[in-house]
């Protein structure tokens, strides 16, 4: 079991930037594919970005491509989401998650395939 704790959310003006962090417990963090999802009230949780267990590959939702960057530091058991050029439509609770399988070659892009979730961090972008 991997426990995840997100941080770094907050209130920012449109065009601004934030960096989210997700700290994981457990010695096996580096073997899991990681991802960020987000959710707004009344909507389903949606994929934002994913990173392979090695950090060598990434995937992004079309809505954030070119603005957001996912990265990981396996030595620190942490995954990051750098968010630039934020827009009001990026307002949501952001969650990090791990895959269920270790050393998977499949990117975690569907929330139903995640095994561990953090508690979420609120990001609010004002216009």
């Amino acid at each position: 079991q991997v426990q995840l704790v997100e941080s770094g959310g907050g209130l920012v003006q449109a065009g601004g930037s934030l960096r989210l962090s997700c700290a994981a417990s457990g010695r096996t963090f580096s073997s899991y594919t990681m991802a960020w999802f987000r959710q707004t009230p009344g909507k389903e949780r949606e994929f934002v970005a994913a990173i392979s267990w090695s950090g060598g590959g990434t995937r992004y939702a079309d809505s954030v491509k070119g603005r957001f960057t996912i990265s990981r530091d396996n030595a620190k058991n942490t995954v990051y989401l750098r968010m630039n050029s934020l827009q009001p439509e990026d307002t949501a609770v952001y969650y990090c998650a791990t895959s269920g399988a270790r050393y998977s070659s499949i990117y975690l892009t569907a929330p139903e395939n995640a095994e561990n979730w953090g508690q979420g961090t609120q990001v609010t972008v004002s216009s």
Side-chain angles (χ1 to χ4, degrees):
Q1 187 79 8
V2 177
Q3 293 184 328
L4 306 171
V5 178
E6 301 97 334
S7 62
L11 174 64
V12 64
Q13 289 187 332
S17 298
L18 284 174
R19 189 181 79 159
L20 305 183
S21 299
C22 174
S25 64
R27 295 174 294 174
T28 58
F29 166 81
S30 61
S31 63
Y32 289 100
T33 299
M34 301 290 297
W36 288 93
F37 295 84
R38 65 187 182 187
Q39 189 170 24
T40 55
K43 292 189 176 181
E44 294 189 352
R45 198 164 293 188
E46 66 172 1
F47 168 71
V48 175
I51 189 166
S52 64
W53 60 268
S54 67
T58 57
R59 292 291 186 271
Y60 296 94
D62 288 342
S63 59
V64 307
K65 203 171 293 183
R67 301 187 298 122
F68 291 11
T69 302
I70 188 171
S71 61
R72 68 190 297 163
D73 185 338
N74 285 341
K76 295 183 178 180
N77 278 13
T78 302
V79 64
Y80 304 98
L81 184 68
R82 177 68 180 181
M83 305 184 294
N84 295 329
S85 302
L86 283 162
Q87 299 302 316
E89 52 265 35
D90 294 316
T91 295
V93 178
Y94 284 71
Y95 299 89
C96 66
T98 74
S99 60
R102 298 178 63 189
Y103 302 112
S104 173
S105 60
I106 300 173
Y107 287 95
L108 179 58
T109 60
E112 59 266 26
N113 293 334
E115 181 164 289
N116 301 287
W117 292 94
Q119 84 289 349
T121 186
Q122 176 71 47
V123 171
T124 302
V125 184
S126 63
S127 57

